[in-house]
Amino acid sequence: MVHSRRMLVLRAVIEDYIRSQEPVGSSALAHHHDLGVSSATIRNDMAALEDEGYLVQPHTSAGRIPTEHGYRYFVDRLSTLVPLTQAQRRGITRFLGGSVSLQDTLQRGARILADITGQVAVISSPSLSKSTLRHVELVPLSDSRLLAVVITDTGGVAQHTLTMPEPCTQSDLDDFCSLINADCTGLRLFTAAQRIRTLALDTLSSPRRRLAGALADALTSMADDEQTSDLYMAGTSQLAHQRTIGDLAPLFDALEEQVVLMRLMSTLGEDQGGVGVAIGSETHNPGLIHASVVSSGYGRSPETADETGTDTETGSERQAKGEHADPVAFVGSIGPTHMDYGATMTAVRTVARYLTGLLAQDEDDDGH
């Protein structure tokens, strides 16, 4: 455990290094921060922090810079996040409010997040596997083929062709869809598939049982599809201006590995309402060894923040109150390890909350 005064010194070093990207010396800390001790004492504290692995001295007689361990300690103890300015919040609302579709909103969200942070912004579309069933419709294509049209709570539309051994009348299809929509609306696709199979065994006649089995298989296939979530990315051109982020080639390679990136950000963003941070080696990706990733989930989450988005309640605190809900997608930012963590975390969370509110509003507008 870092001594309380040394913790203040560590915080001051990180804040100054984030701002200047130059090694920080003890005399500069004594001049710019009210630490209440002499430059010599600060120098001793910095030497102790170096011994403990929180700081490193890149050159003899130079100042010190934070290590990955130092950044982790700093991020874990951020007591407050830097609030966005009123102009930034109005800009987000105005820019995203002009969207014409969910896809347009996600692309705009990535662009404005990249503009605010000066980093790479990544937003995933809602995953079918985490969405819930809003409505299902069966459309005849021929005597033996049906088109299952599935609409989810996040506004997603998926289609799947069903092959039937015998034709169904339109009346049968309408009755079957009414039964499924009445019994399965609000369930995740995999759960809905299980419910449909149970209905088939317990209550349905033989023709409808085969139809139920085909639809259940289709829903399971949709839920298992890893490619149902698209990534919207912006700000990659700004990486060229990050002189200290290291070799850009491995980083661009990491950004191309979308499945790996989605898995990382989804894991970080699972605690919806909170913000997850992976620093350097914590990403378990060689291409991100000199970068940090900040992510927050969005979707069916209780709205607990005020309109300024400045509350500091953690995801675990919300979960203790029964306010936790699994996110359906994530918002993320990727930048150098010397990023402004407080500002980035706030920006990511603000965009995530906007998207959560947008999906909830769409659901309310549809009468659910």
Side-chain angles (χ1 to χ4, degrees), residues 46-358:
M46 292 175 72
L49 287 166
E50 184 176 2
D51 291 340
E52 292 165 350
Y54 294 97
L55 298 176
V56 65
Q57 191 171 26
H59 306 290
T60 304
S61 302
R64 291 173 173 84
I65 65 176
T67 64
E68 184 179 298
H69 189 40
Y71 283 124
R72 170 49 59 193
Y73 190 90
F74 173 76
V75 169
D76 287 346
R77 285 155 182 79
L78 272 176
S79 58
T80 58
L81 299 185
V82 180
L84 297 182
T85 66
Q86 288 188 353
Q88 286 175 322
R89 292 198 303 272
R90 283 196 302 267
I92 290 175
T93 301
R94 183 170 57 250
F95 187 62
L96 298 186
S99 304
V100 297
S101 65
L102 176 60
Q103 290 73 23
D104 187 28
T105 300
L106 300 183
Q107 186 62 67
R108 284 171 175 251
R111 284 167 53 194
I112 197 165
L113 180 59
D115 287 344
I116 292 173
T117 62
Q119 298 163 176
V120 177
V122 182
I123 299 181
S124 69
S125 64
S127 168
L128 275 180
S129 64
K130 295 182 179 180
S131 302
T132 63
L133 183 68
R134 177 181 291 175
H135 186 79
V136 62
E137 194 74 33
L138 296 176
V139 181
L141 298 177
S142 68
D143 287 345
S144 60
R145 296 172 67 241
L146 299 172
L147 180 66
V149 181
V150 176
I151 303 174
T152 69
D153 63 320
T154 57
V157 179
Q159 300 179 352
H160 199 98
T161 301
L162 310 181
T163 301
M164 297 299 299
E166 57 189 74
C168 295
T169 67
Q170 188 63 55
S171 177
D172 279 340
L173 293 179
D174 292 342
D175 290 345
F176 178 78
C177 288
S178 296
L179 176 66
I180 298 304
N181 288 323
D183 205 59
C184 297
T185 295
L187 300 180
R188 285 197 175 183
L189 300 191
F190 184 76
T191 305
Q194 292 178 311
R195 177 71 64 84
I196 291 171
R197 290 191 178 98
T198 300
L199 282 173
L201 291 175
D202 294 346
T203 63
L204 298 182
S205 60
S206 180
R208 289 189 180 184
R209 192 173 300 151
R210 287 190 288 271
L211 179 57
L215 178 59
D217 290 344
L219 292 177
T220 301
S221 176
M222 293 176 187
D224 287 341
D225 188 355
E226 288 188 349
Q227 305 304 318
T228 55
S229 184
D230 296 321
L231 283 184
Y232 297 84
M233 190 176 298
T236 53
S237 62
Q238 303 189 58
L239 287 178
H241 302 295
Q242 302 288 355
R243 301 301 181 190
T244 60
I245 201 169
D247 185 5
L248 291 181
L251 179 56
F252 281 119
D253 289 342
L255 295 178
E256 288 294 319
E257 294 290 335
Q258 293 199 355
V259 173
V260 176
L261 194 61
M262 286 172 62
R263 188 177 300 119
L264 169 63
M265 289 196 161
S266 294
T267 300
L268 289 174
E270 279 178 354
D271 198 9
Q272 188 160 338
V275 183
V277 179
I279 303 168
S281 64
E282 296 173 355
T283 65
H284 304 291
N285 188 317
L288 299 174
I289 194 66
H290 299 294
S292 290
V293 179
V294 178
S295 181
S296 181
Y298 73 88
R300 297 182 306 278
S301 176
E303 196 62 51
T304 59
D306 60 27
E307 63 180 5
T308 65
T310 58
D311 73 289
T312 59
E313 199 172 31
T314 65
S316 58
E317 289 169 339
R318 291 190 179 90
Q319 187 172 9
K321 293 180 179 181
E323 295 175 343
H324 179 81
D326 290 336
V328 298
F330 64 82
V331 174
S333 184
I334 303 172
T337 52
H338 61 259
M339 70 166 60
D340 186 336
Y341 287 95
T344 299
M345 292 165 72
T346 297
V348 166
R349 187 176 59 179
T350 300
V351 173
R353 283 179 171 160
Y354 182 96
L355 296 175
T356 294
L358 178 70

